[in-house]
Amino acid sequence: MKSFNHLYETAKSEKTRRESVHKVCLGRNKMRGLERYSKDEEETSKLALDWIENYHNATHHPIIISEGVKHKKRKIIVPTFQELTVQHCCVTALMPMFRKGMYEHTYASIPNRGAHKAKRFIEKWVREDAKNCMYILKMDIRHFFDSIPHDKLKAMLAKYIHDKKMLDLICEIVDVTDKGLPLGFYTSQWLANWYLQGLDHYIKEELQAVHYVRYMDDMVVFGSNKKKLHKTREAIEKYLRERLGLKLKDNWQVFRFDYIKNGKHYGRDLDFMGFRFFRNRTVLRRSIMLKATRKAKRIRKKGRATIYDVRQMLSYLGWIDCTDTYQMYKDRIRPYVDVSRYKRRISEYDKRQAG
């Protein structure tokens, strides 16, 4: 087991502070202090040294947001500018630890990975290895971020981090909540992914899953045998309970994946990461299609799209472009938006901002 030292010095180094302040200033987060400190990044990076050495969590009042078409309620904590800067410094220092042993097919909140990259691998598996993709085990963890026990996470961190100052700092950040990791903190997404790293290796190496993909706490295991997948689920449930103090949601599923016989589709498609995967095509989840079409109509009704509207619409078009939903785009979006003009606006806006 590799241990990591001298992390605190890396976190508070001038290079790390400069990069972290720049990243936070580039972000669109509406945290406290952004306007005050983003005017002079050079001076702010000097102040960041004191923020690290005398770090204390600010007093927070969680915000409840409604997410998606179904308006799912989520509780988030918005960090201050100082807190977010320190979090970026910590993640930079801890990156070697986070990256070492990271499973190749985990995709959420990791640079140069994401839903679109995961999509390409899933399509390759289901189209080129039908035998090992006959059945699917789909599951996720109940209240994942809110349920991560601090004692187990801190014990795991202490095994790898042999730098007391860094260990104390990251534990202080974790303790902003009594239990779990707060949505909204930059450290949370990295710690959450890292916390499940052992589970990833257990599924691949001990349970010998041929194809397995994880998107934060959403997991999909492909297999050729339904009974084996049920046993896999039982083993995963036990691992989560005994080693990580977590629990699977009761809505786990094992089902026959879509297949084509005599020109007709049988089985079920896989609904995952906003996509619906079939044996021979991939389409958007209906909720995302609805959001995209409603956005297009609202923009037309307003008459003049804001930069935020344009960025959001182009983001939806990025999803549409990589799926087999061109007809939907043709019928429901193209009549309302001018994609070429939107791209030009974004390009011109970004040039002005850079200048």
Side-chain angles (χ1 to χ4, degrees):
M1 180 181 71
K2 180 177 173 58
S3 61
F4 296 85
N5 297 282
H6 312 297
L7 300 172
Y8 188 72
E9 293 303 316
T10 300
K12 68 176 192 174
S13 69
E14 184 180 356
K15 180 175 183 292
T16 301
R17 285 184 281 117
R18 282 174 179 269
E19 290 176 354
S20 298
V21 167
H22 183 65
K23 286 176 184 176
V24 176
C25 289
L26 280 178
R28 300 188 183 89
N29 304 73
K30 296 179 181 178
M31 77 292 291
R32 284 174 277 165
L34 175 60
E35 291 184 5
R36 175 185 170 190
Y37 293 112
S38 62
K39 292 176 181 176
D40 190 342
E41 292 186 15
E42 180 77 23
E43 185 62 30
T44 302
S45 67
K46 294 177 183 176
L47 293 172
L49 179 60
D50 180 62
W51 300 344
I52 294 169
E53 292 178 340
N54 298 288
Y55 181 84
H56 292 287
N57 292 310
T59 300
H60 293 281
H61 301 286
I63 299 170
I64 306 297
I65 62 169
S66 296
E67 187 180 66
V69 171
K70 295 181 179 178
H71 301 290
K72 186 176 182 179
K73 301 293 182 184
R74 290 193 183 278
K75 183 170 70 174
I76 67 168
I77 292 180
V78 180
T80 64
F81 185 93
Q82 295 96 317
E83 285 177 312
L84 192 57
T85 301
V86 174
Q87 290 168 28
H88 272 270
C89 291
C90 288
V91 169
T92 298
L94 291 169
M95 193 58 69
M97 183 187 81
F98 290 143
R99 289 284 193 177
K100 184 172 178 60
M102 181 183 283
Y103 175 53
E104 62 178 324
H105 294 301
T106 180
Y107 291 97
S109 304
I110 300 169
N112 302 316
R113 299 195 191 187
H116 295 283
K117 187 171 183 180
K119 168 185 166 290
R120 291 197 295 271
F121 278 99
I122 292 173
E123 288 174 336
K124 181 180 179 182
W125 296 340
V126 301
R127 292 170 191 179
E128 297 181 8
D129 191 11
K131 179 185 175 183
N132 288 308
C133 296
M134 287 180 67
Y135 296 94
I136 287 176
L137 165 60
K138 185 172 182 284
M139 59 200 157
D140 63 327
I141 297 170
R142 185 174 182 274
H143 301 311
F144 176 49
F145 277 87
D146 292 336
S147 298
I148 294 175
H150 286 192
D151 57 342
K152 288 183 179 293
L153 175 60
K154 288 178 181 179
M156 192 182 294
L157 287 166
K159 283 183 181 179
Y160 291 89
I161 300 175
H162 290 185
D163 180 327
K164 188 177 184 307
K165 287 186 176 180
M166 173 51 76
L167 184 61
D168 289 344
L169 177 57
I170 198 68
C171 287
E172 172 76 14
I173 294 171
V174 167
D175 284 337
V176 72
T177 54
D178 294 331
K179 187 179 181 183
L181 296 173
L183 286 170
F185 270 38
Y186 184 58
T187 45
S188 295
Q189 61 199 47
W190 286 99
L191 288 169
N193 260 323
W194 181 75
Y195 192 63
L196 293 182
Q197 205 174 92
L199 175 66
D200 294 331
H201 290 283
Y202 176 71
I203 292 171
K204 282 296 292 182
E205 295 158 20
E206 299 293 323
L207 303 182
Q208 299 184 330
V210 179
H211 301 303
Y212 158 63
V213 61
R214 178 169 65 80
Y215 194 82
M216 197 53 78
D217 64 313
D218 292 320
M219 298 169 280
V220 173
V221 181
F222 297 86
S224 58
N225 185 287
K226 198 171 183 178
K227 288 183 179 180
K228 186 177 178 182
L229 285 180
H230 278 288
K231 289 181 180 178
T232 296
R233 191 269 306 166
E234 290 170 3
I236 291 170
E237 199 161 30
K238 183 180 178 182
Y239 184 102
L240 285 170
R241 183 178 63 254
E242 295 181 355
R243 300 200 192 183
L244 301 178
L246 299 171
K247 183 181 178 182
L248 275 185
K249 272 188 188 176
D250 293 332
N251 63 350
W252 57 267
Q253 305 166 42
V254 175
F255 58 90
R256 179 72 158 94
F257 180 55
D258 176 67
Y259 65 100
I260 303 168
K261 186 176 181 181
N262 298 326
K264 292 184 179 181
H265 283 266
Y266 297 90
R268 286 173 48 194
D269 62 281
L270 169 64
D271 188 335
F272 186 54
M273 304 180 305
F275 300 106
R276 291 180 62 199
F277 295 90
F278 294 83
R279 186 68 67 175
N280 61 345
R281 74 185 193 281
T282 305
V283 299
L284 278 179
R285 182 181 291 162
R286 186 171 179 273
S287 61
I288 295 176
M289 290 171 63
L290 285 172
K291 287 167 73 174
T293 54
R294 288 169 183 169
K295 185 68 179 179
K297 289 177 181 178
R298 281 198 299 269
I299 289 174
R300 169 59 68 89
K301 191 175 181 180
K302 285 169 69 173
R304 171 71 176 174
T306 65
I307 287 295
Y308 175 78
D309 290 331
V310 171
R311 288 194 189 278
Q312 197 173 35
M313 197 67 244
L314 290 178
S315 176
Y316 284 132
L317 292 172
W319 284 75
I320 293 167
D321 190 50
C322 70
T323 55
D324 303 303
T325 48
Y326 179 73
Q327 191 61 46
M328 184 277 288
Y329 160 73
K330 217 168 113 177
D331 295 341
R332 304 183 188 182
I333 293 179
R334 194 165 69 175
Y336 301 101
V337 300
D338 187 336
V339 178
S340 299
R341 185 159 62 88
Y342 285 4
K343 288 180 178 178
R344 286 196 302 272
R345 273 192 68 186
I346 290 295
S347 178
E348 291 166 3
Y349 177 83
D350 288 344
K351 284 177 183 177
R352 287 198 302 271
Q353 293 296 106

